[in-house]
């Protein structure tokens, strides 16, 4: 059995060879602080966010795309793999490929590999997210031509220029869906004196979040706790406000792209000008982000089909490639 895992800050996707993406859940765990017992994992843990007693806390074992809590990460890997394939128990140990951000250290890479081996993997392959995203987006990375990938997940934004199957130039920044949510929380608190939680910020981002000026402003009702009275309160928030709130985060992403362009060989830069930038990851779906990137860089940017699953799909295809390669050896 061959398994590909997109071990993201915000969500975990599991790909099983021959079955495709079989699981997508938040990379979140609810823990009893007193007993250290895991109460819930994934979607069940997310439902508890902001609604638990003081002794139960919902946490993410991954921060900024890397393992922050090794033991919990090991347990959720085992949980998700078994949930994705109930036949896992007692079967031959699987080959597992796991994606990591481009900027991880060798120590962090080894931590991911050790976590996979601890749950019974007979082989572990670590693949960079941008390479997996390119494969999942349908790009033939084996050819000698430049392709630029912008992968924006929950914890990081990764930009890479890929040619002949390898990253020629790459860069990573700690800006993604989580940073977007935090920026919205700060903005609402400062502008409206209203305290909102992570789930509400995510709802705002998905419903009216904008990186580019809309032709028609849209609004939504936002509920929270007033910092002035301490009582529940609701406001009407406009999409233009979210553009203001996210301005700094969007600028970090465009600066990241420009920085990679400055280091890209001229021949590959010409390929990218012709072919454009391919955007993947859940946070690339922020409305107007592709338009803002084109405005700043002058290069066409397009969100890949099924952008959320691109990394997992690419990881799965990499697993299949490695399986076929092993057969020939």
């Amino acid at each position: 059995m061959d398994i590909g895992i997109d071990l993201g800050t915000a969500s975990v996707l599991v790909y099983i060879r021959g079955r495709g993406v079989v699981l997508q859940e938040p990379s979140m765990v609810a823990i009893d602080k007193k007993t250290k017992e895991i109460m819930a994992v994934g979607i069940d843990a997310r439902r508890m966010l902001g609604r638990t007693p003081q002794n139960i806390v919902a946490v993410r074992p991954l921060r900024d795309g890397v393992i922050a809590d090794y033991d919990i990460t090991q347990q959720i890997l085992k949980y998700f793999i078994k949930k994705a394939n109930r036949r896992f128990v007692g079967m031959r140990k699987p080959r597992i490929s796991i994606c990591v951000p481009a900027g991880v250290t060798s120590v962090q890479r080894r931590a991911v590999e050790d976590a996979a081996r601890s749950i019974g993997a007979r082989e572990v392959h670590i693949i960079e997210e941008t390479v997996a995203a390119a494969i999942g987006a349908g790009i033939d990375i084996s050819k000698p031509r430049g392709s630029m990938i912008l992968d924006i997940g929950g914890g990081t934004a990764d930009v890479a220029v890929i040619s002949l199957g390898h990253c020629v130039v790459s860069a990573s920044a700690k800006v993604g869906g989580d940073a977007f949510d935090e920026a919205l929380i700060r903005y609402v608190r400062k502008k409206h004196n209203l305290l909102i939680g992570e789930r509400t910020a995510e709802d705002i981002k998905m419903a009216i979040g904008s990186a580019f000026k809309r032709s028609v402003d849209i609004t939504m009702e936002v509920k929270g706790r007033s910092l002035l009275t301490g009582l529940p309160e609701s406001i009407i928030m406009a999409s233009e406000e979210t553009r203001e709130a996210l301005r700094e985060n969007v600028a970090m992403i465009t600066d990241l792209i420009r920085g990679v362009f400055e280091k890209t060989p001229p021949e590959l830069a010409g390929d990218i000008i012709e072919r454009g930038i391919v955007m993947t990851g859940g946070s690339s779906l922020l409305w107007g982000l592709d338009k803002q990137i084109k405005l700043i860089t002058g290069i066409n940017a397009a969100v890949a089909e099924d952008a959320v699953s691109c990394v997992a799909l690419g990881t799965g295809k990499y697993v299949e490639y490695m399986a076929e390669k092993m057969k020939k050896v």
Side-chain angles (χ1 to χ4, degrees):
M1 186 171 66
D2 299 307
I3 298 173
I5 301 174
D6 176 10
L7 191 62
T9 302
S11 60
V12 174
L13 287 83
V14 179
Y15 176 103
I16 294 181
R17 187 184 181 199
R19 292 169 57 188
V21 177
V22 296
L23 182 144
Q24 178 183 348
E25 291 198 25
S27 50
M28 190 169 287
V29 182
I31 301 175
D32 189 320
K33 291 192 292 186
K34 294 179 181 178
T35 64
K36 304 300 181 182
E37 180 185 356
I38 293 180
M39 308 299 294
V41 179
I43 190 80
D44 295 329
R46 188 182 184 280
R47 291 194 185 106
M48 295 183 177
L49 191 64
R51 296 189 171 116
T52 59
Q54 289 186 346
N55 64 303
I56 297 177
V57 59
V59 299
R60 288 177 175 169
L62 293 102
R63 282 292 173 189
D64 302 323
V66 296
I67 292 178
D69 191 310
Y70 175 83
D71 293 331
I72 296 177
T73 300
Q74 178 181 322
Q75 291 184 61
I76 69 167
L77 274 174
K78 186 181 296 184
Y79 171 85
F80 283 131
I81 290 174
K82 287 184 176 180
K83 185 174 182 179
N85 189 353
R86 300 296 182 183
R87 297 174 299 167
F88 174 71
V89 180
M91 287 189 67
R92 186 185 180 196
K93 292 181 178 180
R95 277 188 288 255
I96 297 180
S97 286
I98 302 181
C99 287
V100 295
V104 298
T105 65
S106 58
V107 174
Q108 293 166 337
R109 187 181 290 257
R110 179 54 67 102
V112 174
E113 184 176 342
D114 289 346
R117 291 194 184 280
S118 72
I119 62 174
R122 74 178 187 274
E123 291 178 25
V124 181
H125 302 284
I126 305 298
I127 179 173
E128 289 188 3
E129 281 183 352
T130 46
V131 174
I135 297 171
I139 297 172
D140 185 353
I141 64 172
S142 64
K143 295 184 178 180
R145 63 184 182 191
S147 299
M148 177 173 275
I149 293 290
L150 168 61
D151 181 62
I152 313 174
T156 61
D158 298 294
V159 181
V161 175
I162 300 172
S163 180
L164 290 173
H166 296 281
C167 289
V168 179
V169 186
S170 65
S172 181
K174 294 179 180 179
V175 56
D178 289 349
F180 294 168
D181 294 343
E182 291 166 7
L184 289 167
I185 291 172
R186 289 195 302 269
Y187 179 88
V188 172
R189 183 173 62 233
K190 183 178 180 180
K191 180 75 179 290
H192 298 285
N193 291 311
L194 190 72
L195 185 64
I196 61 173
E198 291 179 23
R199 288 189 62 179
T200 301
E202 186 175 12
D203 291 341
I204 295 170
K205 176 181 67 182
M206 297 177 68
I208 63 171
S210 298
F212 192 81
K213 187 173 180 61
R214 294 177 184 257
S215 56
V216 178
D217 211 13
I218 59 175
T219 61
M220 72 173 287
E221 183 182 20
V222 176
K223 299 176 182 178
R225 176 165 58 85
S226 172
L227 292 173
L228 301 177
T229 66
L231 298 174
E233 187 178 310
S234 65
I235 61 167
I236 300 299
M237 190 168 179
S239 57
E240 184 62 20
E241 291 184 272
T242 68
R243 188 168 75 94
E244 178 62 30
L246 300 174
R247 188 186 302 277
E248 185 177 336
N249 297 113
V250 172
M252 287 177 66
I253 293 171
T254 55
D255 288 345
L256 191 68
I257 294 171
R258 285 199 286 198
V260 170
F261 260 120
E262 289 173 359
K263 300 176 183 178
T264 301
E267 291 80 4
L268 297 182
D271 293 338
I272 296 165
I273 291 171
E274 181 182 338
R275 305 178 68 199
I277 302 168
V278 177
M279 300 168 60
T280 63
S283 297
S284 69
L285 300 175
L286 177 67
W287 191 92
L289 183 56
D290 53 345
K291 297 180 177 65
Q292 183 66 15
I293 289 172
K294 182 178 180 180
L295 177 68
I296 298 300
T297 66
I299 309 297
N300 283 325
V303 179
E305 185 178 350
D306 199 5
V308 175
S309 302
C310 274
V311 172
L313 290 170
T315 309
K317 290 179 181 178
Y318 184 80
V319 171
E320 294 175 5
Y321 165 75
M322 292 303 297
E324 292 300 319
K325 186 176 180 180
M326 292 299 294
K327 285 180 182 178
K328 295 175 183 179
V329 175

